[in-house]
Amino acid sequence: GGTDFRPVFSYVDWLKEKKESQNLKGLIYFTDGFGAFPAQKPDYETAFVFVDDGSTDDSAEMLDAWEQKDHRLHVIHTANHGVSAARNCGIDYALIQLKSRYIHFVDVDDELDNDCYAEVVQLIENQENEPDIVVFGFKTLYHDKAGGVLRSVLRAPKACEFLTRTDMIDRYFEVYGRRSGIRNTVWCKLFRAALLLDLRFNETMKQAEDLFFSIDAYCAANSLLLIPKSYYSYHRYVQAKAYYDSDIQMAFDRNRYI
């Protein structure tokens, strides 16, 4: 919540003025409804997708009322079956209903930089071929019980690089191994929608589901774009449950990943 979406719309307008985007049919946003939006409706189609994952307040009724007033809003109601089921629902909707180009998963309590999508899309457009996965940097902010930041840790690729399938195999441990710090999460990655046709999160897992989805996607991908800039802020609090290496090892053993 609280994201300023206006820079992305301004960027799209700039592309249209330069005639670099002449056949734009629409812009799709997955949002919780909070944030700063353009004051006027753009002259291209825009979709906002809301997923109500078993809310217990009045969110569902509010979303339904908004959907009736604006055709750009899409509301999905599901029972609360956990984060993996919610993400899988979003993947299905993005693929089948919206014909999305790329899919990005964002945790509701984290922050995404305003210029993330505009800059990442520009870097994708600069490549000769579309990458199957885009990886950018992120900051982990550790908070005390009062919300103050105890420390901040930055993890990001070392350089902007386009990796082919051969590069990905040869350099797996460098760019995607445990020490890189980027393989365990999905919110520092954009996935080409076509890559996820046969990939879903394991809904039986209660921890490390991001890790195994990321590994499955890496194994299925033919190309990867590394971006050495942090666009995402991940918040961790002292009262939150911590997962240590032993937990990850247990998840590996249970799921028989080698």
Side-chain angles (χ1 to χ4, degrees):
T3 300
D4 187 347
F5 296 106
R6 291 170 296 182
V8 176
F9 286 89
S10 298
Y11 175 72
V12 173
D13 291 339
W14 177 78
L15 288 178
K16 292 179 62 182
E17 290 177 4
K18 293 191 64 177
K19 300 188 183 301
E20 293 187 15
S21 179
Q22 301 182 38
N23 298 307
L24 180 67
K25 295 182 179 179
L27 187 65
I28 300 170
Y29 261 99
F30 288 84
T31 174
D32 59 5
F34 297 96
F37 298 88
Q40 296 182 341
K41 180 183 181 301
D43 60 359
Y44 48 85
E45 197 64 26
T46 307
F48 297 89
V49 181
F50 300 80
V51 179
D52 168 36
D53 184 24
S55 61
T56 57
D57 54 16
D58 59 352
S59 299
E61 290 77 11
M62 291 175 60
L63 291 173
D64 289 339
W66 291 345
E67 186 178 30
Q68 293 298 318
K69 297 178 181 179
D70 196 325
H71 73 281
R72 297 173 299 165
L73 273 60
H74 303 262
V75 181
I76 305 172
H77 295 287
T78 68
N80 191 323
H81 295 301
V83 62
S84 293
R87 285 170 172 169
N88 287 340
C89 178
I91 293 173
D92 293 339
Y93 195 86
L95 290 174
I96 299 171
Q97 299 294 331
L98 302 177
K99 313 298 182 184
S100 298
R101 180 182 173 191
Y102 279 88
I103 295 175
H104 184 209
F105 304 96
V106 180
D107 286 355
V108 68
D109 54 348
D110 293 336
E111 296 175 62
L112 188 68
D113 287 3
N114 293 336
D115 56 358
C116 173
Y117 294 139
E119 293 186 4
V120 170
V121 167
Q122 183 61 62
L123 288 169
I124 291 174
E125 297 290 350
N126 290 343
Q127 309 305 312
E128 185 175 344
N129 298 302
E130 284 194 348
D132 284 334
I133 303 175
V134 179
V135 178
F136 50 77
F138 65 92
K139 292 178 292 187
T140 301
L141 287 83
Y142 295 86
H143 297 267
D144 57 25
K145 292 183 178 180
V149 177
L150 298 172
R151 65 190 179 100
S152 175
V153 178
L154 173 65
R155 293 185 182 274
K158 297 179 180 179
C160 187
E161 295 183 84
F162 185 95
L163 305 184
T164 65
R165 179 65 181 169
T166 300
D167 298 329
M168 293 172 65
I169 294 173
D170 292 342
R171 298 174 57 188
Y172 172 82
F173 290 103
E174 173 193 344
V175 302
Y176 221 67
R178 188 181 70 170
R179 293 184 181 278
S180 72
I182 62 175
R183 74 170 184 178
N184 294 8
T185 64
V186 293
W187 30 251
C188 66
K189 304 175 182 73
L190 267 66
F191 301 92
R192 196 162 70 92
L195 180 69
L196 305 189
L197 289 173
D198 298 316
L199 288 179
R200 294 296 184 274
F201 289 88
N202 186 335
E203 297 182 15
T204 66
M205 296 185 67
K206 301 302 181 184
Q207 62 190 53
E209 73 284 341
D210 283 17
L211 168 62
F212 295 104
F213 181 88
S214 292
I215 292 176
D216 286 341
Y218 192 95
C219 292
N222 288 312
S223 57
L224 182 144
L225 177 63
L226 298 173
I227 301 176
K229 181 175 179 178
S230 170
Y231 291 108
Y232 195 94
S233 295
Y234 168 53
H235 297 277
R236 296 193 65 175
Y237 298 85
V238 292
Q239 64 266 34
K241 180 178 179 180
Y243 296 121
Y244 300 96
D245 287 346
S246 59
D247 298 310
I248 301 299
Q249 187 60 54
M250 287 168 55
F252 265 102
D253 294 340
R254 183 168 58 251
N255 290 273
R256 296 183 181 180
Y257 274 75
I258 300 176

